[in-house]
RNA sequence: GGGCGUGUAGCUCAGUUGGUUAGAGCGCGCCCCUGAUAAGGGCGAGGUCGCAGGUUCGAGUCCCGCCAUGCCCA
């Protein structure tokens, strides 16, 4: 190598000479040293080696071994429950994160002294799979054949394909998760399509039916007229389509109420009115009114803020004509079902004169509407905000009187029909700012209707034709055919302001390619506001709704000790609220609270308060813990606002809702009937629903013993009025089966019952040992998903939440902090190939998972580098611990099964408080405490950082550097060396255990290397061990001072480099020791710690001094240290006393 | 548009109840070692704490608004 380049000065020749010296020394004594040696390779080769570890653990039956040991775990059971991923496709980065975090939880609990079983699950039913299967059936042409079959057979055929599909991907994902080195009961996973699981879900439903929470009501869904079926979002295809765009005037019922709302003065005289009408379009001289020429670009209005105070008030007084409200729609066929008009409460609306009519339009849109309609004379008469319009009544354009609505399950308010209502989703982009609201034909409309108590009205039948409730001229007409008729009718009756054809993107049925409509259909719901008494609750308690219960359940226990300021405030508020609510009862009981009473006083007052209402409100608090804490607020917001839960879907791949209908349309769905079907599902699976008639499905149902059966259904079931033959199949067989299946969220939301209660039931624990569950851990999207879908059934059936704590993680985002694009996602396989599972796990452990996490290929590479540092530290220690297992290891540690004997106690007792060993073991104790506590509070990132820093700083930079000399140069049997080795062994053992939950391959590999087990030994495994115990070795209190002085020394050595003293081994240090504390330490230890040859202490010194030893002492050819005892020996070598003796010993 | 989050060195992140000169790792620069060597060690340079207001003796930290971005909803 070009070392001649630039080495032409006198300065360059000196180091050259030095290098020559070293070379000679190296050749002479190298073989007499104890240099590191280990079979633990520097190169991890994870891609090849991890699968071998996996095989070894499989052979060992690691999961089963852990379970066998479960009974004896000192801290009992930790109940953790896996949320089921969807059995579709390959796992991706989101799964990677989720599964690693779960594995960390399971493994840290396991090693922390708990028994932590982990049953992985898969969500198998549902539309994504069915949709995929249907697409394949369409592409292969097989669908034609299926369409010729009867519905049950058709569905069975589809279900068979879906099941195959789900099985395939469940298996694929299992392999990938195993490759991630996660430990789980993969031999016995739970699948939501397993028979027992299905039965348990239906039993959960039965529990909710029993509480009266399940009901049927109308709700609009996407509806394919061609196939007469409901469609899911995924089955829609958006295509362009031309529809009539109509602007329709609805006449106000009470003109003066409208003018009041616009703040207009008293009514005009007849004369005024006349002249006003004459002048329409021309405007009035001198009037302060804004004038618009039809279609002219008058933009002043349009550019002003929506929220500004209405500024234009017409001095005209009131026009003598009835104003109208103008709406816009592209689905005129929904007009017969118009129930209300929605306005935005904060938008400004204008009362305008437009082509002679007086109408209401959003101020921002006056221009646009006038232009579209080609209105010639436009004049704003007055303005007001939307909230002032709310409640105004109008006349329907062609419906004379309200139709007779069917019996609504929900409370409705027909007074609000044909009034203006408030809605936040109204926009100013299109239309008029007044939105035609048909509760039976739109999602927004439906929600508005729910809030306002409007009836859900849908006059459209399954085949897309109007039913008998509409105006005569529309009856039986198809909705799309009705469009022109309605337009014509509106025009003729003078309600049409404008009509043109309009091309827009419109949803179509993906199969028939025909346009879909929104149509209200009967769906099953779980009512979140229906009050009930949970099974275990005393009868004098007040009933409560799921909404109230769920909010209570996640609420903080007001008697708990607050751990943060926000908690303290929450508790404070709780007591204040209770004081208000119960003030009267308390006062009756002789307790008087003043408004200024502190929460402590209130709490005291409540102590002996026996009001059942109060007791209930307490008992329903379950203090579910959220990690991070804000998850609770998030969930609370959602629970406060969530609508009733629609649990029915019109699909094939799912669990049938076990409802039956009589010929008269009466429904049978009682707790007993549902349980009867559940029993069938347990025995035969849910396919039984499609293979059998009601007679078979209700085989276990005894109508006579069912108190809840509706009388009409009961008589139908009994077959005749004589009440005989009540249990015969043929009579049940006349019932029609429901065609709906359950929302898959209800299935996964029942897993606490179907898996955890079910699988942990025993004689000793009839209710299931694993319920309630201690922890759910999922992405933060599950606040709306699984956390809620589990919470509601849990509360309904058991009266308590299924979990005690909820831990959430965020999502992967790209480097730029933006959503990760699916296309460029790294495949899991490529990540395994390029990095190995341990590196991926190491990376996951480093993530701040509470929020969004940035991902980039480079980050995996960086994680790999950081992993390598840890690996090298382990390797160095393994290289220096000496001849494997037999040297000084206790027998118990040798067996690799004992948790507490990792550091030989005899050794520890002999360690002096001033020794390097005492320092490093003390540091290890601190690390152990830090890491274990971080693990147990799920702060894997803190554990990761602590472990990394310990390897690099405490070990690599300080301790290992300091003991190199004694390890290499001391005589093999020196006590000093043995002590260091024992310590190394303890540290390596401890480090392996602490690393094991994250680096499960590497930690095991290192541990096995430490014990020197051979490849054939499959039983030695770090994962069967516990975290290390503290060494609790005694440590001199001056160690902090020593490390402080060391820092100073390193700085001083750095500074001295400029003067040519570049190698610290050529230097000696004079350390200040005013209080004599350093004097307690061995000078050689201090020198090793600072990396120099000699240390002397100076009681009078006040700073570190460096001395150049190069002239004073020769350099030992073996240890390369300089010192007074270095001299030429008998063999001609220049050696220190220690080295001379060591050489003799060899 | 709403609810809940996030925004601190080039990068990834710590920053306890508001209190010295805002920390760490990576990367970068310079240097040492060549007996952990496709390793190891030392020193150093990097920040208007997203932007703009406010409260306070004092704000990365508390309040308000805005911008960017994520999840969920509309």
């Amino acid at each position: 190598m070009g070392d001649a380049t630039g080495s032409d000065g006198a300065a360059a020749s000196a180091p050259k000479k030095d290098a020559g010296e070293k070379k000679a020394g190296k050749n002479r004594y190298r073989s007499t040293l104890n240099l590191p040696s280990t079979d633990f390779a520097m190169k991890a080769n994870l891609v090849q080696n991890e699968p071998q570890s996996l095989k070894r653990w499989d052979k060992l039956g690691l999961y089963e071994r852990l379970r066998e040991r479960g009974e004896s775990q000192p801290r009992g059971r930790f109940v953790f429950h896996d949320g089921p991923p969807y059995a579709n496709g390959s796992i991706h980065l989101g799964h990677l994160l989720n599964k690693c975090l779960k594995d960390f939880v399971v493994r840290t609990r396991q090693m922390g002294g708990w028994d932590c079983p982990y049953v992985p699950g898969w969500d198998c039913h549902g539309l994504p799979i069915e949709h995929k299967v249907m697409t394949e059936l369409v592409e292969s042409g097989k669908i034609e054949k299926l369409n010729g079959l009867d519905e049950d057979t058709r569905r069975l055929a589809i279900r068979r394909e879906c099941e195959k599909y789900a099985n395939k991907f469940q298996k694929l994902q299992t392999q990938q998760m195993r490759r991630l080195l996660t430990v789980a009961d993969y031999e016995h996973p739970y699948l939501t399509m397993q028979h027992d699981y299905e039965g348990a879900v239906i039993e959960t439903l039965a529990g909710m039916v029993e509480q009266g929470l399940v009901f049927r009501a109308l709700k609009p869904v996407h509806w394919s007229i061609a196939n007469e079926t409901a469609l899911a979002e995924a089955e829609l295809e958006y295509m362009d389509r031309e529809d009539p765009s109509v602007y329709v005037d609805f006449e106000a019922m009470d003109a003066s109420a409208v003018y009041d709302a616009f703040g207009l003065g008293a009514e005009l005289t007849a004369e005024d009115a006349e002249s006003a009408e004459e002048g329409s379009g021309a405007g009035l001289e001198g009037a302060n009114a804004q004038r618009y020429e039809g279609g002219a670009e008058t933009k002043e209005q349009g550019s002003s803020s929506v929220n500004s105070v209405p500024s234009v008030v017409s001095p005209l007084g009131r026009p003598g004509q009835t104003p109208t409200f103008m709406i816009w729609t592209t689905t005129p066929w929904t007009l017969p079902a118009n129930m209300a008009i929605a306005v935005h409460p904060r938008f400004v609306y204008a009362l305008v004169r437009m082509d002679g009519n007086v109408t209401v339009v959003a101020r921002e849109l006056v221009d646009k509407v006038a232009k579209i309609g080609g209105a010639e004379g436009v004049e704003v008469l007055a303005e007001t905000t939307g909230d002032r319009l709310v409640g105004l009544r109008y006349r329907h354009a062609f419906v004379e009187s309200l139709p007779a609505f069917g019996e609504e399950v929900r409370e409705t308010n027909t007074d609000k029909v044909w009034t203006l209502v408030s809605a936040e989703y109204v926009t100013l982009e299109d239309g008029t700012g007044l939105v035609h609201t048909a509760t039976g034909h739109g999602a927004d409309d439906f929600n508005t209707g729910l809030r306002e108590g409007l009836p859900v009205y849908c006059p459209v039948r399954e085949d897309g034709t109007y039913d008998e409730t509409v105006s005569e001229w529309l009856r039986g007409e198809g909705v799309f055919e009705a469009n022109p008729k309605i337009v014509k009718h509106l025009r003729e009756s003078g309600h049409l302001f404008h009509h043109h054809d309009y091309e827009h993107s419109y949803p179509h049925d993906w199969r028939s390619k025909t346009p879909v409509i929104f149509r209200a259909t009967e769906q099953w719901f779980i009512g979140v506001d229906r009050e009930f008494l949970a099974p275990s609750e005393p009868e004098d308690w007040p009933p409560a709704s799921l909404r109230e219960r769920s909010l209570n359940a996640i609420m903080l226990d007001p008697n708990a000790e607050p751990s943060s300021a926000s908690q303290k405030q929450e508790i404070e508020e709780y007591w204040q609220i209770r004081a208000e609510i119960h003030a009267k009862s308390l006062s009756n009981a002789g307790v008087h609270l003043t408004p200024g009473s502190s929460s402590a006083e209130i709490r005291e007052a409540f102590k002996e308060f026996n009001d059942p209402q109060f007791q209930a409100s307490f008992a329903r608090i379950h203090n579910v813990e959220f990690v991070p804490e804000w998850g609770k607020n998030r969930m609370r917001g959602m629970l406060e606002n969530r609508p009733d839960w629609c649990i029915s879907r019109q699909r094939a791949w799912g669990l049938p809702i076990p409802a039956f209908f009589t010929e008269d349309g009466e429904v049978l769905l009682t707790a007993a009937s549902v349980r009867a079907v559940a029993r069938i599902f347990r025995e035969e699976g849910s396919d039984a629903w499609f293979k059998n008639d009601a007679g078979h499905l209700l085989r276990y149902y005894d109508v006579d013993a069912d108190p809840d059966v509706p009388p009409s259904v009961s008589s139908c079931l009994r077959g005749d009025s004589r009440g005989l033959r009540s249990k015969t199949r043929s009579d049940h067989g006349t019932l029609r089966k429901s065609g709906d299946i359950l929302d898959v969220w209800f299935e996964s939301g029942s897993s606490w019952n179907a898996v955890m209660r079910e699988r942990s039931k025993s004689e000793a624990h009839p209710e299931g040992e694993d319920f309630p569950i201690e922890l759910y851990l999922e992405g933060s999207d599950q606040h709306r998903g699984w956390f809620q879908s589990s919470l509601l059934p849990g509360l309904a059936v058991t009266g308590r939440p299924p979990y005690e704590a909820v831990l959430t993680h965020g999502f992967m985002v790209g480097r730029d902090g933006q959503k990760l694009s699916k296309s460029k996602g790294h495949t899991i396989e490529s990540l395994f190939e390029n990095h190995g599972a341990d590196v991926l796990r190491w990376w996951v452990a480093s993530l701040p998972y509470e929020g969004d996490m940035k991902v980039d290929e480079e980050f995996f590479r960086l994680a790999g580098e950081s992993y390598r540092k840890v690996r090298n530290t382990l390797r160095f220690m393994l290289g220096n611990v000496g001849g494997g297992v037999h040297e000084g290891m206790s027998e118990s540690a040798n067996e690799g099964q004992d948790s507490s004997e990792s550091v030989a106690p005899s050794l520890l007792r002999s360690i002096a408080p001033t020794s390097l060993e005492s320092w490093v073991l003390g540091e290890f104790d601190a690390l152990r405490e830090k890491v274990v506590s971080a693990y147990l509070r799920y702060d894997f990132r803190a554990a990761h950082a602590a472990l990394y820093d310990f390897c690099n700083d405490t070990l690599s930079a300080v301790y290992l550097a300091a003991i190199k000399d004694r390890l290499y140069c001391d005589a093999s049997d020196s006590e000093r060396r043995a002590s260091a080795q024992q310590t190394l062994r303890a540290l390596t053992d401890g480090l392996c255990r602490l690393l094991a939950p994250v680096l499960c391959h590497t930690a095991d590999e290192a541990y096995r290397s430490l014990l020197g087990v051979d490849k054939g030994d499959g039983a030695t495994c770090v994962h069967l061990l516990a975290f290390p115990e503290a060494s609790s070795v005694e440590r001199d209190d001056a160690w902090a001072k020593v490390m402080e002085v060391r820092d100073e020394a390193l700085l001083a050595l750095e500074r001295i480099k400029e003067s040519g003293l570049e190698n610290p081994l050529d230097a000696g240090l004079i350390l200040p020791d005013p209080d004599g504390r350093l004097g307690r330490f061995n000078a050689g230890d201090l020198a090793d710690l600072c990396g120099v040859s000699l240390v002397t202490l100076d009681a009078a010194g006040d700073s570190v001094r460096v001395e150049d030893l190069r002239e004073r002492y020769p350099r030992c050819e073996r240890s390369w240290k300089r010192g007074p005892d270095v001299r030429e020996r008998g063999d001609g070598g220049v050696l220190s006393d220690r080295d001379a003796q060591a050489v003799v010993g060899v």
Side-chain angles (χ1 to χ4, degrees), chain A residues 13 114 123 363 559 621 724 802 807 841 883 894 1013 1045-1046:
Chain A
S13 62
W114 283 267
D123 195 2
R363 183 179 70 189
N559 281 320
I621 289 170
L724 300 172
L807 190 151
R841 296 171 63 98
N894 203 355
V1013 301
V1045 171
R1046 176 181 181 268

Side-chain angles (χ1 to χ4, degrees), chain A residues 63 67 71 76-82 114-119 185 190 750-762 764-776 786 798 800-804:
Chain A
Y63 185 82
R67 294 293 73 71
E71 293 293 307
R77 202 149 164 131
F78 184 84
V79 186
F80 177 55
H81 181 36
D82 184 35
W114 283 267
D115 178 27
C116 186
Y118 178 72
V119 179
D185 194 358
Y190 76 88
S750 302
S751 62
W752 54 267
N753 182 30
V755 182
M756 302 309 274
R757 278 219 300 192
E758 181 112 357
R759 293 197 181 196
S760 64
K761 273 181 193 164
S762 63
H765 302 277
E767 272 307 298
E769 189 184 0
D770 289 346
F771 186 85
I773 295 144
E774 288 181 62
L775 182 70
Y776 275 34
W786 194 51
T798 71
R800 61 151 301 144
Y803 41 72
E804 282 167 354

Side-chain angles (χ1 to χ4, degrees), chain A residues 639-655:
Chain A
L639 289 167
E640 276 167 358
N641 296 312
R642 72 156 296 151
D644 285 340
W645 181 3
C646 179
I647 55 166
S648 51
R649 300 288 185 275
Q650 289 68 48
R651 306 297 328 163
W653 184 226
L655 263 185

Side-chain angles (χ1 to χ4, degrees), chain A residues 471-508:
Chain A
S471 312
E472 219 181 312
W473 52 278
L474 284 172
R475 284 179 198 158
E477 194 76 40
V479 292
F480 291 112
E481 290 73 41
N483 271 341
K485 271 193 151 180
I486 291 172
V487 173
K488 181 163 172 262
H489 188 97
L490 290 170
R491 180 177 289 120
E492 285 168 0
S493 64
H495 288 90
L496 188 69
F497 169 70
H498 180 70
H499 158 238
H500 64 269
D501 287 330
Y502 181 77
E503 192 175 278
H504 60 155
S505 172
Y506 191 86
H508 289 66

Side-chain angles (χ1 to χ4, degrees), chain A residues 39-41 44 46 49-50 53 56-57 62 103-104 107 111 181 837-839 841-842 867 870-875 877-878 896 935 947 951 985 987-1013 1020-1028:
Chain A
D39 59 352
F40 188 83
L46 297 177
N49 293 336
E50 281 173 346
S53 281
R56 196 172 63 243
W57 298 330
L62 179 59
D103 198 47
F104 297 163
R107 299 184 105 113
M111 295 189 78
L181 307 183
D838 266 9
V839 168
R841 296 171 63 98
W842 186 242
Y867 163 84
V870 173
R871 185 176 178 89
N872 264 318
T873 304
L874 284 170
R875 181 174 127 91
M877 294 199 293
L878 289 168
Y935 274 153
L947 284 163
C951 287
R985 212 167 271 130
L987 290 170
T988 310
D989 173 274
L991 207 48
C992 285
R993 293 172 190 239
L994 291 177
L995 287 167
V998 178
L999 300 181
C1000 38
H1001 160 74
T1002 305
D1004 201 33
E1005 182 193 6
Y1007 182 74
R1008 288 164 59 82
S1009 172
L1010 175 70
L1011 295 201
V1013 301
T1020 303
C1021 178
V1022 74
H1023 302 298
L1024 290 167
L1025 306 182
F1027 287 134

Side-chain angles (χ1 to χ4, degrees), chain A residues 270-293:
Chain A
E271 217 182 336
D272 289 340
E274 227 182 287
S275 72
E277 255 180 305
E278 273 173 20
S280 72
L284 293 176
E285 290 296 326
N288 199 14
Q290 296 278 322
R291 260 197 74 186
Y292 291 79
E293 297 303 331

Side-chain angles (χ1 to χ4, degrees), chain A residues 602-644:
Chain A
I602 300 171
R603 196 185 300 205
E604 196 56 35
F606 273 114
K607 253 193 178 151
E608 302 194 352
F609 188 52
N610 274 327
D611 184 58
Q613 196 183 342
F614 178 71
Q615 308 229 319
S617 72
F618 243 113
R620 286 166 181 159
I621 289 170
H622 288 281
N623 197 14
V624 171
E625 188 191 349
F626 284 80
V627 182
E629 242 182 296
W630 51 257
K632 173 153 63 178
N633 283 339
R634 181 169 184 182
M635 195 146 161
R636 189 197 297 170
M638 290 173 175
L639 289 167
E640 276 167 358
N641 296 312
R642 72 156 296 151
D644 285 340

